[in-house]
Structure formats: C-alpha cells, structure tokens
Amino acid sequence: MTDFSAPGWNDIPARHWQGGPLDCSTCEHRDLLPQQACEPGRACLQDAYARRIDRFFARHPALAARHLQHGYFEVRAIAARHADVFLLPALIDDPDETVRLQLALRLPQRQLQRLRGDPHREVRIRVAQRLAPEQLATMMHDADYQVRATVARRLPVALLPLLARDADAQVRQEVARRLDMPGLWPLAADPEPEVRRVVAQRLPAPLLGRFSRDTDLLVRWEAAGRADETVLGLYLDDPDSEVRARAAHRRGLLRRPGLASVPAPEELPHG
C-alpha cells in the first residue's frame, strides 16, 4: 500500500473519507492512476477533502452520474455539481443539506419548487434567490427571517404590502426599499428607526415633514437632506446641530437654479 499521508500540493494530508490512509488498490477507478488521470493527494474520489474530490470530477465529469448515491455526502454534493441536471431530482430527499444546496443551485424551476419547504434555512434561501418571482408568494411566511428578506427583494411589487408588517425589521427594510407610494407611507410609522430611515430616503419630498419630530437623529438627518421648501423649515430648527447644518445645505441647493435635485452630502452625523 502506498503511503499518501504526507502533505502534498501545499494541501492537508490525504485521508480516506471513512478514515485511515488511501488505498488505490481498492478504488473502482484505479485504472486511471497509471494514466495520471487521478492523483492521490491532489485529485481523488476517495479523499475526505472536498477540494480533491472536486478536482477529480472536474477532470472526469462523465463519472459524476455514477456517484450520486455515494456513501460520502461530499462526493454526492460535488457529483451533483457536475452530473446531468435531469438526474438531480432523485436527490431531493437526500439526508444532507450540502447535497440539497447543490440542487437548489441547479434544478429547473418546476423541480426547484419542491425545495421550498426544505428543513434547512440555507437551502430555502438559495431557493428564494432562484425561484421565479411569481412563485415566491408561498415563501412569504417562512419561519426564517433571511428567507423572508430574500423573498422581499424579489417578490412582485404588488405583493410587497403583505410583508410590510413582517415581524423582522430587516424584512421591512427590504420592503421599504422597493415600495412606492401610497404603500410606502404606512412604513413611515414603523417602530424601528432603521426602517424609517429607508422611508426617509424614498418618501416624496413634500411628505418629509412627517419625520421632523422623529426620535432618531439619523432619520431626521436623512429627511433634512431631501426635504423641499414646504417642510424644510422644520429641520432648520432641529435640536441637533448636524441636522440643522444638513437642512441649511439643502436650502442652499434649493435656492440655486438647477441644483434642487442634487442630493446633500452623504456623510453621516457623528454620535
């Protein structure tokens, strides 16, 4: 038996995926060794190291289909990356999420829908990133906030108001970044300042007086940089000097012909 335990190719020591040293004499692809079509410690199907398995399949993608039911999850996952996409639905119920993640990246839309209720959040996030927007409504109430936030980035705008009262502020921020009036207006009263700040960046200028008494400095600062003459005076009297300075800069722009649409500098206030 050849000893492949020493480090090679600046990689970690080669070890069999079931533990112990590699033994090429027991490998079903040992006929590739004399041709240097596989290299223990560099490109090897038996290795526990995923990078070496990937190198093997990169050299021999036609062999991937033969290993979709392999006992080692890394082999199945990497084989799924290289195998014909029409073979992948058989792995939808694979016990390992690493394998199902690969499916979420490659399956066509009809099969991808079968992963919407996957038990692992990372799989569902990938599904939400790829699923056709018109199919995303079924994922709006996912238990994981990152899944819902991903849905909010891609959901048809007509359905976004359904997420405007989501329990998580990050989801509501994503909604606020995409909703237009009148659907955006209710989020001006959101309990979280991070959401109100996004609204202050997008609300029509004449409506920005809504934030003149906001308890959050950054919300008022954002509004002061976009307000029009009808409400700007509310910010010129703000108790915070940086909000007043931003409002004064905005007033200067509004009174210079052709510059009213130029945004105020984006340097955030201190404190």
Side-chain angles (χ1 to χ4, degrees), residues 45-254:
L45 183 66
Q46 293 191 83
D47 206 298
Y49 190 23
R51 184 173 295 178
R52 292 177 184 140
I53 300 168
D54 190 46
R55 291 183 188 127
F56 177 87
F57 282 125
R59 296 182 183 187
H60 309 288
L63 296 176
R66 290 170 53 179
H67 296 285
L68 292 174
Q69 303 299 326
H70 195 277
Y72 185 31
F73 76 93
E74 291 282 20
V75 171
R76 299 196 305 276
I78 297 168
R81 190 183 304 164
H82 294 275
D84 191 304
V85 70
F86 295 106
L87 299 174
L88 300 185
L91 295 175
I92 280 182
D93 294 319
D94 191 278
D96 196 277
E97 67 272 11
T98 308
V99 179
R100 302 194 306 275
L101 273 170
Q102 288 300 321
L103 269 58
L105 294 171
R106 295 196 63 209
L107 283 174
Q109 288 291 316
R110 187 174 65 176
Q111 299 294 339
L112 184 62
Q113 294 182 42
R114 296 172 59 188
L115 288 173
R116 287 179 295 189
D118 191 274
H120 199 279
R121 64 190 292 271
E122 292 296 334
V123 175
R124 301 196 308 276
I125 289 172
R126 300 301 188 281
V127 172
Q129 290 170 343
R130 288 194 59 229
L131 200 63
E134 61 271 18
Q135 299 295 329
L136 283 172
T138 57
M139 301 187 75
M140 286 193 306
H141 304 295
D142 191 277
D144 189 271
Y145 78 95
Q146 288 196 355
V147 175
R148 301 195 306 276
T150 304
V151 170
R153 294 184 197 108
R154 303 186 60 241
L155 194 69
V157 174
L159 297 178
L160 275 177
L162 299 176
L163 284 175
R165 295 185 179 182
D166 190 274
D168 190 88
Q170 183 174 321
V171 178
R172 301 196 303 276
Q173 279 182 276
E174 297 296 341
V175 173
R177 289 187 180 106
R178 297 185 61 211
L179 265 184
D180 291 320
M181 290 293 288
L184 183 61
W185 178 251
L187 287 169
D190 194 276
E192 295 298 328
E194 293 85 357
V195 179
R196 300 197 304 277
R197 184 181 177 193
V198 175
V199 178
Q201 294 168 347
R202 302 192 64 242
L203 207 63
L207 300 179
L208 288 171
R210 168 69 177 75
F211 296 117
S212 64
R213 296 182 180 276
D214 197 280
T215 56
D216 186 83
L217 163 65
L218 288 176
V219 173
R220 302 197 310 277
W221 184 85
E222 290 286 0
R226 296 185 58 247
D228 70 2
E229 289 279 12
T230 63
V231 297
L232 192 56
L234 298 171
Y235 296 98
L236 291 167
D237 294 328
D238 192 274
D240 187 275
S241 62
E242 297 196 61
V243 175
R244 295 196 302 272
R246 188 164 168 87
H249 180 86
R250 175 65 174 166
R251 179 176 60 181
L253 290 177
L254 290 172

Side-chain angles (χ1 to χ4, degrees), residues 8-37:
W9 306 91
N10 295 319
D11 254 332
I12 62 174
R15 304 289 288 176
H16 193 280
W17 67 272
Q18 290 180 309
L22 297 177
D23 181 2
C24 291
S25 67
T26 64
C27 179
E28 64 181 288
H29 300 298
R30 56 186 175 273
D31 57 311
L32 298 174
L33 190 61
Q35 311 166 39
Q36 294 186 323

